Amino acid sequence: MRTMNDQKKEKKEMERKKSYGMLIIGAVLLIAGILFAVYAYNTSYQESVALGAQLSELKAQANAVKEGTAEGDAEALNAQISALSAEKLGLERPYSYGLVAVFFAILLTVKGICNALIGVRSSEKADVRRLAQAGLLTALCYIGFAFFKIDIPAGTEKASFHFGNVFCVLAALLLGGYWGGLAGAVGMTIGDLTTTYVTSAPKTFLLKLCIGLIVGLVAHKIFRLCRSHSPKYVTGVTVLAAVCGMGFNVVADPLVGYFYKTYLFGVPQDITSILVKISALTTSVNAVVAVIAASVIYLALRPALRKAGLFVEI
């Protein structure tokens, strides 16, 4: 039987204390992010739109020269295209940074509201293993996207085949929806911000976070994958959770991408329509790869992590 001290200790651990710090930080960051995003959109991003029009004309001219239907210096045109592309990318960064800050602030604000209404456990401590694994998987998400991808151009925009989603799903399977989603969101957002996909960074943050939350919800909240189960059960739940997360992405990525590019970035609808079609293809292929690869890696890592005492209980 439990002693009186054990009961008091358990009661103390279950006590929750309301906290308002994260809510205040999130609200301040949200206001600052919105103001900065609006300012960047009306200044540097509008300049990038004008450069985009010039860039499209130069690319059309370069293609005409290449096909022999027009005269010109192809080498000089390509140099101009490279210079304008770099300048355009630099002008797009501030607005993308502002939108990422807004989405991140919304996440902090929602978490802060939960802390204010529900409270946090007074005895809750940071799990070093989870933090270390989250950092490692964040880096893997970045590497999987930034270095293992095939670009597909569409006008002045791009889509790609990549391996980033593999580690996003794996992170949620290993760490749960919240930490896994953050690992995927942060890692792949950094990948966007440091490459030519800078304008996709805010959308990436939102969608990869949602992938992690869905995979974590199915795997750990509904089917309790972190507990001991038969190999057949673990395999089935792992594949199901990965399919649910990537199934969401197959539907949401083109749909969100269309409204995101059209209304937040003002990309012409004809280009956006082409991007949606390409995105639907690349997202579907990425989803199949992610489900297979993440499931295989997780099923291989699970017993090894348990044996080494590094398995995170969720």
Side-chain angles (χ1 to χ4, degrees):
M1 293 182 66
R2 293 181 300 173
T3 64
M4 186 67 70
N5 288 335
D6 289 336
Q7 292 177 347
K8 289 181 178 179
K9 184 178 180 181
E10 183 179 336
K11 183 178 179 181
K12 184 177 181 181
E13 288 179 350
M14 293 301 293
E15 287 179 353
R16 290 180 175 272
K17 184 179 180 181
K18 292 184 178 181
S19 174
Y20 300 93
M22 188 172 291
L23 176 59
I24 295 171
I25 294 173
V28 171
L29 181 59
L30 180 59
I31 295 171
I34 291 173
L35 292 175
F36 180 77
V38 170
Y39 173 77
Y41 179 81
N42 290 323
T43 53
S44 63
Y45 185 72
Q46 292 304 315
E47 294 178 31
S48 77
V49 171
L51 283 182
Q54 296 179 35
L55 195 57
S56 296
E57 293 176 3
L58 283 175
K59 285 183 177 180
Q61 188 177 348
N63 287 333
V65 171
K66 185 178 179 181
E67 293 171 359
T69 58
E71 296 182 357
D73 188 342
E75 188 174 341
L77 286 172
N78 289 330
Q80 283 183 285
I81 289 171
S82 297
L84 277 180
S85 296
E87 186 178 354
K88 180 176 181 293
L89 186 64
L91 291 170
E92 289 172 342
R93 290 187 186 280
Y95 184 46
S96 297
Y97 291 157
L99 289 178
V100 170
V102 169
F103 289 168
F104 182 66
I106 291 172
L107 176 64
L108 286 182
T109 303
V110 171
K111 178 64 175 173
I113 291 172
C114 292
N115 290 349
L117 296 177
I118 302 173
V120 293
R121 290 177 184 173
S122 56
S123 60
E124 209 170 49
K125 294 181 180 179
D127 188 332
V128 177
R129 290 178 303 171
R130 183 174 294 182
L131 288 173
Q133 290 181 22
L136 174 62
L137 286 161
T138 298
L140 288 173
C141 287
Y142 168 76
I143 292 169
F145 173 77
F147 297 100
F148 296 94
K149 71 175 186 292
I150 301 173
D151 294 325
I152 301 176
T156 57
E157 304 292 327
K158 290 181 181 179
S160 68
F161 298 105
H162 61 83
F163 290 133
N165 289 333
V166 173
F167 299 106
C168 182
V169 173
L170 180 63
L173 290 171
L174 288 172
L175 306 174
Y178 180 74
W179 284 102
L182 275 180
V186 172
M188 293 183 67
T189 298
I190 293 173
D192 279 345
L193 291 174
T194 54
T195 61
T196 56
Y197 291 87
V198 62
T199 57
S200 296
K203 176 175 71 76
T204 294
F205 182 88
L206 178 64
L207 291 179
K208 303 318 171 188
L209 177 64
C210 289
I211 290 173
L213 292 174
I214 291 171
V215 173
L217 173 67
V218 174
H220 300 294
K221 298 301 181 182
I222 297 177
F223 291 100
R224 301 294 180 184
L225 188 61
C226 61
R227 299 179 183 177
S228 296
H229 298 286
S230 67
K232 185 177 180 180
Y233 180 90
V234 171
T235 301
V237 171
T238 299
V239 174
L240 176 62
V243 168
C244 288
M246 295 315 301
F248 159 81
N249 195 54
V250 167
V251 175
D253 192 279
L255 186 62
V256 172
Y258 177 82
F259 290 99
Y260 173 80
K261 291 289 186 181
T262 302
Y263 297 106
L264 284 181
F265 279 87
V267 176
Q269 290 190 356
D270 55 341
I271 296 178
T272 304
S273 299
I274 296 172
L275 276 172
V276 167
K277 293 176 182 178
I278 295 175
S279 178
L281 171 63
T282 58
T283 302
S284 298
V285 174
N286 290 336
V288 173
V289 172
V291 169
I292 296 172
S295 298
V296 170
I297 296 172
Y298 175 76
L299 292 172
L301 284 176
R302 180 184 169 94
L305 291 173
R306 279 189 175 277
K307 187 175 181 180
L310 297 174
F311 190 75
V312 177
E313 297 292 342
I314 300 166

mmCIF file of all heavy atoms in Angstrom, residues 80-127:
data_model
loop_
_atom_site.group_PDB
_atom_site.id
_atom_site.type_symbol
_atom_site.label_atom_id
_atom_site.label_comp_id
_atom_site.label_asym_id
_atom_site.label_seq_id
_atom_site.Cartn_x
_atom_site.Cartn_y
_atom_site.Cartn_z
ATOM 1 N N GLN A 80 22.408 38.127 -66.206
ATOM 2 C CA GLN A 80 21.376 39.038 -65.697
ATOM 3 C C GLN A 80 20.308 38.278 -64.913
ATOM 4 O O GLN A 80 19.850 38.735 -63.864
ATOM 5 C CB GLN A 80 20.712 39.782 -66.854
ATOM 6 C CG GLN A 80 21.533 40.925 -67.432
ATOM 7 C CD GLN A 80 20.768 41.651 -68.522
ATOM 8 O OE1 GLN A 80 20.611 41.170 -69.639
ATOM 9 N NE2 GLN A 80 20.277 42.834 -68.195
ATOM 10 N N ILE A 81 19.921 37.125 -65.427
ATOM 11 C CA ILE A 81 18.912 36.306 -64.743
ATOM 12 C C ILE A 81 19.406 35.868 -63.360
ATOM 13 O O ILE A 81 18.672 35.939 -62.374
ATOM 14 C CB ILE A 81 18.551 35.077 -65.615
ATOM 15 C CG1 ILE A 81 17.752 35.518 -66.839
ATOM 16 C CG2 ILE A 81 17.749 34.061 -64.806
ATOM 17 C CD1 ILE A 81 17.527 34.419 -67.857
ATOM 18 N N SER A 82 20.649 35.442 -63.281
ATOM 19 C CA SER A 82 21.219 35.015 -61.995
ATOM 20 C C SER A 82 21.270 36.168 -60.995
ATOM 21 O O SER A 82 20.927 36.012 -59.822
ATOM 22 C CB SER A 82 22.630 34.452 -62.212
ATOM 23 O OG SER A 82 22.589 33.301 -63.020
ATOM 24 N N ALA A 83 21.687 37.341 -61.485
ATOM 25 C CA ALA A 83 21.784 38.517 -60.606
ATOM 26 C C ALA A 83 20.410 38.955 -60.115
ATOM 27 O O ALA A 83 20.217 39.237 -58.923
ATOM 28 C CB ALA A 83 22.472 39.659 -61.337
ATOM 29 N N LEU A 84 19.421 38.978 -61.019
ATOM 30 C CA LEU A 84 18.062 39.377 -60.636
ATOM 31 C C LEU A 84 17.420 38.352 -59.695
ATOM 32 O O LEU A 84 16.701 38.724 -58.773
ATOM 33 C CB LEU A 84 17.194 39.559 -61.880
ATOM 34 C CG LEU A 84 17.282 40.898 -62.603
ATOM 35 C CD1 LEU A 84 16.360 40.903 -63.822
ATOM 36 C CD2 LEU A 84 16.926 42.055 -61.671
ATOM 37 N N SER A 85 17.689 37.066 -59.929
ATOM 38 C CA SER A 85 17.138 36.019 -59.068
ATOM 39 C C SER A 85 17.651 36.166 -57.636
ATOM 40 O O SER A 85 16.890 36.047 -56.672
ATOM 41 C CB SER A 85 17.508 34.637 -59.611
ATOM 42 O OG SER A 85 16.916 34.416 -60.866
ATOM 43 N N ALA A 86 18.949 36.437 -57.497
ATOM 44 C CA ALA A 86 19.539 36.618 -56.171
ATOM 45 C C ALA A 86 18.960 37.859 -55.485
ATOM 46 O O ALA A 86 18.661 37.844 -54.283
ATOM 47 C CB ALA A 86 21.056 36.731 -56.290
ATOM 48 N N GLU A 87 18.802 38.948 -56.264
ATOM 49 C CA GLU A 87 18.244 40.176 -55.696
ATOM 50 C C GLU A 87 16.781 39.973 -55.280
ATOM 51 O O GLU A 87 16.354 40.422 -54.210
ATOM 52 C CB GLU A 87 18.346 41.306 -56.719
ATOM 53 C CG GLU A 87 17.931 42.662 -56.167
ATOM 54 C CD GLU A 87 18.085 43.778 -57.182
ATOM 55 O OE1 GLU A 87 18.623 43.514 -58.278
ATOM 56 O OE2 GLU A 87 17.657 44.921 -56.884
ATOM 57 N N LYS A 88 16.030 39.284 -56.116
ATOM 58 C CA LYS A 88 14.622 39.007 -55.821
ATOM 59 C C LYS A 88 14.490 38.163 -54.551
ATOM 60 O O LYS A 88 13.642 38.417 -53.699
ATOM 61 C CB LYS A 88 13.980 38.284 -57.009
ATOM 62 C CG LYS A 88 12.494 37.931 -56.818
ATOM 63 C CD LYS A 88 11.948 37.302 -58.088
ATOM 64 C CE LYS A 88 10.465 36.961 -57.933
ATOM 65 N NZ LYS A 88 10.235 35.888 -56.946
ATOM 66 N N LEU A 89 15.339 37.152 -54.434
ATOM 67 C CA LEU A 89 15.317 36.296 -53.245
ATOM 68 C C LEU A 89 15.598 37.094 -51.980
ATOM 69 O O LEU A 89 14.944 36.905 -50.947
ATOM 70 C CB LEU A 89 16.356 35.177 -53.409
ATOM 71 C CG LEU A 89 16.388 34.105 -52.320
ATOM 72 C CD1 LEU A 89 15.079 33.328 -52.300
ATOM 73 C CD2 LEU A 89 17.565 33.161 -52.540
ATOM 74 N N GLY A 90 16.565 37.998 -52.056
ATOM 75 C CA GLY A 90 16.881 38.836 -50.897
ATOM 76 C C GLY A 90 15.729 39.732 -50.490
ATOM 77 O O GLY A 90 15.496 39.971 -49.302
ATOM 78 N N LEU A 91 14.988 40.255 -51.479
ATOM 79 C CA LEU A 91 13.846 41.124 -51.183
ATOM 80 C C LEU A 91 12.653 40.345 -50.625
ATOM 81 O O LEU A 91 11.805 40.915 -49.931
ATOM 82 C CB LEU A 91 13.428 41.872 -52.448
ATOM 83 C CG LEU A 91 14.408 42.932 -52.960
ATOM 84 C CD1 LEU A 91 13.996 43.426 -54.340
ATOM 85 C CD2 LEU A 91 14.496 44.105 -51.983
ATOM 86 N N GLU A 92 12.571 39.058 -50.927
ATOM 87 C CA GLU A 92 11.459 38.241 -50.437
ATOM 88 C C GLU A 92 11.653 37.793 -48.982
ATOM 89 O O GLU A 92 10.680 37.485 -48.299
ATOM 90 C CB GLU A 92 11.294 36.994 -51.318
ATOM 91 C CG GLU A 92 10.755 37.303 -52.699
ATOM 92 C CD GLU A 92 10.797 36.096 -53.606
ATOM 93 O OE1 GLU A 92 11.538 35.136 -53.285
ATOM 94 O OE2 GLU A 92 10.094 36.100 -54.637
ATOM 95 N N ARG A 93 12.888 37.755 -48.535
ATOM 96 C CA ARG A 93 13.180 37.210 -47.205
ATOM 97 C C ARG A 93 12.464 37.943 -46.062
ATOM 98 O O ARG A 93 11.886 37.289 -45.190
ATOM 99 C CB ARG A 93 14.688 37.202 -46.951
ATOM 100 C CG ARG A 93 15.442 36.190 -47.784
ATOM 101 C CD ARG A 93 16.902 36.092 -47.376
ATOM 102 N NE ARG A 93 17.640 35.230 -48.275
ATOM 103 C CZ ARG A 93 17.643 33.910 -48.231
ATOM 104 N NH1 ARG A 93 16.930 33.296 -47.308
ATOM 105 N NH2 ARG A 93 18.334 33.204 -49.090
ATOM 106 N N PRO A 94 12.489 39.296 -45.995
ATOM 107 C CA PRO A 94 11.863 39.961 -44.844
ATOM 108 C C PRO A 94 10.391 39.602 -44.663
ATOM 109 O O PRO A 94 9.943 39.354 -43.534
ATOM 110 C CB PRO A 94 12.043 41.450 -45.168
ATOM 111 C CG PRO A 94 13.242 41.508 -46.038
ATOM 112 C CD PRO A 94 13.174 40.269 -46.870
ATOM 113 N N TYR A 95 9.628 39.561 -45.749
ATOM 114 C CA TYR A 95 8.209 39.219 -45.645
ATOM 115 C C TYR A 95 8.023 37.783 -45.173
ATOM 116 O O TYR A 95 7.156 37.490 -44.335
ATOM 117 C CB TYR A 95 7.539 39.434 -47.001
ATOM 118 C CG TYR A 95 6.041 39.201 -46.996
ATOM 119 C CD1 TYR A 95 5.233 39.725 -45.990
ATOM 120 C CD2 TYR A 95 5.438 38.461 -48.005
ATOM 121 C CE1 TYR A 95 3.858 39.508 -46.000
ATOM 122 C CE2 TYR A 95 4.067 38.254 -48.022
ATOM 123 C CZ TYR A 95 3.289 38.764 -47.006
ATOM 124 O OH TYR A 95 1.922 38.559 -47.001
ATOM 125 N N SER A 96 8.860 36.872 -45.682
ATOM 126 C CA SER A 96 8.773 35.471 -45.253
ATOM 127 C C SER A 96 9.133 35.334 -43.781
ATOM 128 O O SER A 96 8.479 34.589 -43.039
ATOM 129 C CB SER A 96 9.709 34.606 -46.103
ATOM 130 O OG SER A 96 9.310 34.624 -47.459
ATOM 131 N N TYR A 97 10.160 36.051 -43.341
ATOM 132 C CA TYR A 97 10.526 36.025 -41.923
ATOM 133 C C TYR A 97 9.363 36.519 -41.059
ATOM 134 O O TYR A 97 9.082 35.962 -39.992
ATOM 135 C CB TYR A 97 11.759 36.903 -41.663
ATOM 136 C CG TYR A 97 13.048 36.385 -42.245
ATOM 137 C CD1 TYR A 97 14.105 37.248 -42.518
ATOM 138 C CD2 TYR A 97 13.215 35.038 -42.538
ATOM 139 C CE1 TYR A 97 15.296 36.781 -43.059
ATOM 140 C CE2 TYR A 97 14.407 34.565 -43.079
ATOM 141 C CZ TYR A 97 15.442 35.441 -43.334
ATOM 142 O OH TYR A 97 16.613 34.992 -43.869
ATOM 143 N N GLY A 98 8.706 37.583 -41.528
ATOM 144 C CA GLY A 98 7.584 38.128 -40.772
ATOM 145 C C GLY A 98 6.443 37.138 -40.641
ATOM 146 O O GLY A 98 5.864 36.981 -39.557
ATOM 147 N N LEU A 99 6.115 36.425 -41.729
ATOM 148 C CA LEU A 99 5.031 35.443 -41.681
ATOM 149 C C LEU A 99 5.385 34.256 -40.797
ATOM 150 O O LEU A 99 4.537 33.727 -40.063
ATOM 151 C CB LEU A 99 4.702 34.962 -43.104
ATOM 152 C CG LEU A 99 4.002 35.974 -44.006
ATOM 153 C CD1 LEU A 99 3.795 35.387 -45.385
ATOM 154 C CD2 LEU A 99 2.659 36.402 -43.402
ATOM 155 N N VAL A 100 6.639 33.815 -40.849
ATOM 156 C CA VAL A 100 7.077 32.725 -39.960
ATOM 157 C C VAL A 100 6.933 33.151 -38.501
ATOM 158 O O VAL A 100 6.468 32.377 -37.651
ATOM 159 C CB VAL A 100 8.536 32.323 -40.263
ATOM 160 C CG1 VAL A 100 9.055 31.373 -39.193
ATOM 161 C CG2 VAL A 100 8.639 31.661 -41.628
ATOM 162 N N ALA A 101 7.340 34.393 -38.214
ATOM 163 C CA ALA A 101 7.211 34.907 -36.848
ATOM 164 C C ALA A 101 5.753 34.943 -36.410
ATOM 165 O O ALA A 101 5.422 34.622 -35.260
ATOM 166 C CB ALA A 101 7.835 36.297 -36.744
ATOM 167 N N VAL A 102 4.849 35.312 -37.322
ATOM 168 C CA VAL A 102 3.414 35.349 -37.010
ATOM 169 C C VAL A 102 2.898 33.948 -36.684
ATOM 170 O O VAL A 102 2.207 33.742 -35.680
ATOM 171 C CB VAL A 102 2.618 35.954 -38.177
ATOM 172 C CG1 VAL A 102 1.121 35.746 -37.975
ATOM 173 C CG2 VAL A 102 2.917 37.447 -38.298
ATOM 174 N N PHE A 103 3.234 32.963 -37.504
ATOM 175 C CA PHE A 103 2.761 31.591 -37.275
ATOM 176 C C PHE A 103 3.338 31.013 -35.987
ATOM 177 O O PHE A 103 2.655 30.330 -35.229
ATOM 178 C CB PHE A 103 3.125 30.694 -38.462
ATOM 179 C CG PHE A 103 2.320 30.987 -39.698
ATOM 180 C CD1 PHE A 103 2.677 30.462 -40.920
ATOM 181 C CD2 PHE A 103 1.202 31.811 -39.655
ATOM 182 C CE1 PHE A 103 1.942 30.724 -42.074
ATOM 183 C CE2 PHE A 103 0.455 32.087 -40.793
ATOM 184 C CZ PHE A 103 0.829 31.539 -41.996
ATOM 185 N N PHE A 104 4.617 31.302 -35.740
ATOM 186 C CA PHE A 104 5.239 30.823 -34.508
ATOM 187 C C PHE A 104 4.612 31.500 -33.287
ATOM 188 O O PHE A 104 4.385 30.859 -32.255
ATOM 189 C CB PHE A 104 6.746 31.100 -34.540
ATOM 190 C CG PHE A 104 7.482 30.586 -33.328
ATOM 191 C CD1 PHE A 104 7.578 29.226 -33.086
ATOM 192 C CD2 PHE A 104 8.072 31.468 -32.434
ATOM 193 C CE1 PHE A 104 8.246 28.756 -31.972
ATOM 194 C CE2 PHE A 104 8.744 31.000 -31.326
ATOM 195 C CZ PHE A 104 8.838 29.640 -31.085
ATOM 196 N N ALA A 105 4.304 32.790 -33.417
ATOM 197 C CA ALA A 105 3.669 33.517 -32.320
ATOM 198 C C ALA A 105 2.270 32.985 -32.030
ATOM 199 O O ALA A 105 1.840 32.918 -30.877
ATOM 200 C CB ALA A 105 3.605 35.007 -32.650
ATOM 201 N N ILE A 106 1.558 32.589 -33.081
ATOM 202 C CA ILE A 106 0.229 31.993 -32.886
ATOM 203 C C ILE A 106 0.349 30.702 -32.080
ATOM 204 O O ILE A 106 -0.452 30.439 -31.173
ATOM 205 C CB ILE A 106 -0.449 31.736 -34.251
ATOM 206 C CG1 ILE A 106 -0.812 33.071 -34.915
ATOM 207 C CG2 ILE A 106 -1.704 30.878 -34.082
ATOM 208 C CD1 ILE A 106 -1.317 32.928 -36.335
ATOM 209 N N LEU A 107 1.363 29.891 -32.415
ATOM 210 C CA LEU A 107 1.596 28.648 -31.674
ATOM 211 C C LEU A 107 1.890 28.938 -30.201
ATOM 212 O O LEU A 107 1.323 28.298 -29.305
ATOM 213 C CB LEU A 107 2.760 27.883 -32.305
ATOM 214 C CG LEU A 107 3.193 26.598 -31.596
ATOM 215 C CD1 LEU A 107 2.074 25.566 -31.626
ATOM 216 C CD2 LEU A 107 4.453 26.023 -32.233
ATOM 217 N N LEU A 108 2.776 29.905 -29.959
ATOM 218 C CA LEU A 108 3.091 30.277 -28.575
ATOM 219 C C LEU A 108 1.858 30.807 -27.846
ATOM 220 O O LEU A 108 1.641 30.502 -26.664
ATOM 221 C CB LEU A 108 4.188 31.341 -28.554
ATOM 222 C CG LEU A 108 5.617 30.916 -28.875
ATOM 223 C CD1 LEU A 108 6.547 32.114 -28.755
ATOM 224 C CD2 LEU A 108 6.080 29.801 -27.944
ATOM 225 N N THR A 109 1.058 31.596 -28.530
ATOM 226 C CA THR A 109 -0.139 32.177 -27.911
ATOM 227 C C THR A 109 -1.139 31.092 -27.531
ATOM 228 O O THR A 109 -1.726 31.127 -26.444
ATOM 229 C CB THR A 109 -0.792 33.191 -28.862
ATOM 230 O OG1 THR A 109 0.162 34.202 -29.210
ATOM 231 C CG2 THR A 109 -1.996 33.854 -28.203
ATOM 232 N N VAL A 110 -1.349 30.129 -28.430
ATOM 233 C CA VAL A 110 -2.268 29.022 -28.131
ATOM 234 C C VAL A 110 -1.759 28.221 -26.928
ATOM 235 O O VAL A 110 -2.540 27.885 -26.022
ATOM 236 C CB VAL A 110 -2.422 28.108 -29.364
ATOM 237 C CG1 VAL A 110 -3.193 26.841 -29.005
ATOM 238 C CG2 VAL A 110 -3.135 28.843 -30.481
ATOM 239 N N LYS A 111 -0.466 27.929 -26.925
ATOM 240 C CA LYS A 111 0.121 27.213 -25.782
ATOM 241 C C LYS A 111 0.000 28.052 -24.516
ATOM 242 O O LYS A 111 -0.283 27.525 -23.421
ATOM 243 C CB LYS A 111 1.593 26.903 -26.079
ATOM 244 C CG LYS A 111 2.331 26.195 -24.951
ATOM 245 C CD LYS A 111 1.771 24.831 -24.653
ATOM 246 C CE LYS A 111 2.626 24.118 -23.617
ATOM 247 N NZ LYS A 111 2.017 22.828 -23.180
ATOM 248 N N GLY A 112 0.208 29.357 -24.641
ATOM 249 C CA GLY A 112 0.080 30.240 -23.484
ATOM 250 C C GLY A 112 -1.329 30.280 -22.938
ATOM 251 O O GLY A 112 -1.542 30.328 -21.721
ATOM 252 N N ILE A 113 -2.334 30.262 -23.830
ATOM 253 C CA ILE A 113 -3.740 30.230 -23.396
ATOM 254 C C ILE A 113 -4.026 28.944 -22.620
ATOM 255 O O ILE A 113 -4.701 28.960 -21.582
ATOM 256 C CB ILE A 113 -4.674 30.361 -24.616
ATOM 257 C CG1 ILE A 113 -4.564 31.770 -25.211
ATOM 258 C CG2 ILE A 113 -6.123 30.082 -24.219
ATOM 259 C CD1 ILE A 113 -5.303 31.938 -26.517
ATOM 260 N N CYS A 114 -3.482 27.826 -23.115
ATOM 261 C CA CYS A 114 -3.651 26.544 -22.399
ATOM 262 C C CYS A 114 -3.006 26.599 -21.018
ATOM 263 O O CYS A 114 -3.583 26.131 -20.032
ATOM 264 C CB CYS A 114 -3.045 25.405 -23.218
ATOM 265 S SG CYS A 114 -3.923 25.047 -24.743
ATOM 266 N N ASN A 115 -1.809 27.177 -20.948
ATOM 267 C CA ASN A 115 -1.129 27.296 -19.656
ATOM 268 C C ASN A 115 -1.907 28.191 -18.700
ATOM 269 O O ASN A 115 -1.927 27.957 -17.484
ATOM 270 C CB ASN A 115 0.279 27.855 -19.844
ATOM 271 C CG ASN A 115 1.214 26.872 -20.518
ATOM 272 O OD1 ASN A 115 0.884 25.695 -20.682
ATOM 273 N ND2 ASN A 115 2.376 27.350 -20.932
ATOM 274 N N ALA A 116 -2.546 29.230 -19.254
ATOM 275 C CA ALA A 116 -3.298 30.156 -18.411
ATOM 276 C C ALA A 116 -4.613 29.546 -17.929
ATOM 277 O O ALA A 116 -5.047 29.800 -16.803
ATOM 278 C CB ALA A 116 -3.574 31.450 -19.178
ATOM 279 N N LEU A 117 -5.245 28.739 -18.762
ATOM 280 C CA LEU A 117 -6.542 28.156 -18.401
ATOM 281 C C LEU A 117 -6.404 26.839 -17.635
ATOM 282 O O LEU A 117 -7.085 26.615 -16.633
ATOM 283 C CB LEU A 117 -7.378 27.925 -19.666
ATOM 284 C CG LEU A 117 -7.779 29.182 -20.448
ATOM 285 C CD1 LEU A 117 -8.536 28.805 -21.710
ATOM 286 C CD2 LEU A 117 -8.621 30.113 -19.577
ATOM 287 N N ILE A 118 -5.504 25.972 -18.131
ATOM 288 C CA ILE A 118 -5.346 24.642 -17.534
ATOM 289 C C ILE A 118 -4.237 24.626 -16.497
ATOM 290 O O ILE A 118 -4.336 23.946 -15.481
ATOM 291 C CB ILE A 118 -5.069 23.594 -18.633
ATOM 292 C CG1 ILE A 118 -6.208 23.587 -19.655
ATOM 293 C CG2 ILE A 118 -4.904 22.200 -18.048
ATOM 294 C CD1 ILE A 118 -5.938 22.714 -20.862
ATOM 295 N N GLY A 119 -3.177 25.381 -16.768
ATOM 296 C CA GLY A 119 -2.040 25.409 -15.860
ATOM 297 C C GLY A 119 -0.984 24.404 -16.281
ATOM 298 O O GLY A 119 -1.190 23.567 -17.164
ATOM 299 N N VAL A 120 0.176 24.478 -15.653
ATOM 300 C CA VAL A 120 1.272 23.534 -15.890
ATOM 301 C C VAL A 120 1.617 22.864 -14.579
ATOM 302 O O VAL A 120 1.440 23.432 -13.497
ATOM 303 C CB VAL A 120 2.510 24.254 -16.471
ATOM 304 C CG1 VAL A 120 2.229 24.784 -17.853
ATOM 305 C CG2 VAL A 120 2.970 25.378 -15.551
ATOM 306 N N ARG A 121 2.102 21.638 -14.660
ATOM 307 C CA ARG A 121 2.483 20.915 -13.453
ATOM 308 C C ARG A 121 3.694 21.573 -12.810
ATOM 309 O O ARG A 121 4.694 21.830 -13.472
ATOM 310 C CB ARG A 121 2.788 19.452 -13.790
ATOM 311 C CG ARG A 121 1.543 18.663 -14.180
ATOM 312 C CD ARG A 121 1.906 17.256 -14.580
ATOM 313 N NE ARG A 121 0.728 16.533 -15.041
ATOM 314 C CZ ARG A 121 0.758 15.330 -15.588
ATOM 315 N NH1 ARG A 121 1.927 14.724 -15.767
ATOM 316 N NH2 ARG A 121 -0.357 14.735 -15.958
ATOM 317 N N SER A 122 3.602 21.797 -11.531
ATOM 318 C CA SER A 122 4.674 22.503 -10.820
ATOM 319 C C SER A 122 5.959 21.696 -10.780
ATOM 320 O O SER A 122 7.048 22.249 -10.685
ATOM 321 C CB SER A 122 4.228 22.830 -9.385
ATOM 322 O OG SER A 122 3.839 21.647 -8.715
ATOM 323 N N SER A 123 5.834 20.357 -10.866
ATOM 324 C CA SER A 123 7.020 19.506 -10.781
ATOM 325 C C SER A 123 7.542 19.091 -12.141
ATOM 326 O O SER A 123 8.457 18.287 -12.249
ATOM 327 C CB SER A 123 6.700 18.239 -9.979
ATOM 328 O OG SER A 123 5.670 17.507 -10.594
ATOM 329 N N GLU A 124 6.961 19.629 -13.195
ATOM 330 C CA GLU A 124 7.332 19.229 -14.549
ATOM 331 C C GLU A 124 8.737 19.715 -14.879
ATOM 332 O O GLU A 124 9.076 20.874 -14.694
ATOM 333 C CB GLU A 124 6.340 19.824 -15.543
ATOM 334 C CG GLU A 124 6.175 18.999 -16.798
ATOM 335 C CD GLU A 124 5.009 19.485 -17.641
ATOM 336 O OE1 GLU A 124 4.956 20.716 -17.869
ATOM 337 O OE2 GLU A 124 4.159 18.674 -18.017
ATOM 338 N N LYS A 125 9.576 18.791 -15.386
ATOM 339 C CA LYS A 125 10.947 19.130 -15.719
ATOM 340 C C LYS A 125 11.216 18.788 -17.184
ATOM 341 O O LYS A 125 10.564 17.934 -17.771
ATOM 342 C CB LYS A 125 11.930 18.352 -14.826
ATOM 343 C CG LYS A 125 11.855 18.733 -13.352
ATOM 344 C CD LYS A 125 12.874 17.950 -12.552
ATOM 345 C CE LYS A 125 12.812 18.327 -11.078
ATOM 346 N NZ LYS A 125 13.780 17.551 -10.271
ATOM 347 N N ALA A 126 12.186 19.461 -17.743
ATOM 348 C CA ALA A 126 12.533 19.204 -19.141
ATOM 349 C C ALA A 126 13.140 17.818 -19.280
ATOM 350 O O ALA A 126 13.954 17.386 -18.460
ATOM 351 C CB ALA A 126 13.525 20.260 -19.622
ATOM 352 N N ASP A 127 12.738 17.073 -20.277
ATOM 353 C CA ASP A 127 13.274 15.753 -20.573
ATOM 354 C C ASP A 127 14.465 15.935 -21.503
ATOM 355 O O ASP A 127 14.308 16.264 -22.674
ATOM 356 C CB ASP A 127 12.187 14.888 -21.229
ATOM 357 C CG ASP A 127 12.619 13.442 -21.382
ATOM 358 O OD1 ASP A 127 13.839 13.202 -21.491
ATOM 359 O OD2 ASP A 127 11.753 12.557 -21.392
#
